[in-house]
Amino acid sequence: MAGKLYAHLLEVEDAAHDLLDSMMPGMAKEAGATEDLKAMRWVGLMNCCKAQVEEIIFAELLYC
């Protein structure tokens, strides 16, 4: 391993955060999570979108 595991894990974490930040707006738009929704419904939709995006990231970065 030669001390490279931690650096690799940081790189994967950064890539996952970048993907999350770039995918969330599109996923939220598809789900209809607009600012006009009431707070609780919006939070629920956003949590659902985040969970879906995280599963995509896991499949692309971790489970491959």
Side-chain angles (χ1 to χ4, degrees):
M1 293 279 193
K4 296 180 182 179
L5 179 60
Y6 185 72
H8 175 71
L9 292 175
L10 286 176
E11 185 178 319
V12 170
E13 181 180 28
D14 287 342
H17 282 289
D18 290 344
L19 279 171
L20 179 68
D21 291 342
S22 67
M23 293 175 71
M24 275 300 293
M27 185 72 70
K29 184 177 181 180
E30 280 184 35
T34 64
E35 297 296 327
D36 297 334
L37 294 177
K38 298 288 182 191
M40 292 306 295
R41 183 163 182 226
W42 184 86
V43 169
L45 277 173
M46 292 303 286
N47 285 339
C48 182
C49 291
K50 184 177 180 194
Q52 290 175 349
V53 168
E54 287 174 344
E55 284 300 317
I56 293 168
I57 291 169
F58 290 155
E60 289 182 5
L61 292 180
L62 302 177
Y63 303 144
C64 52

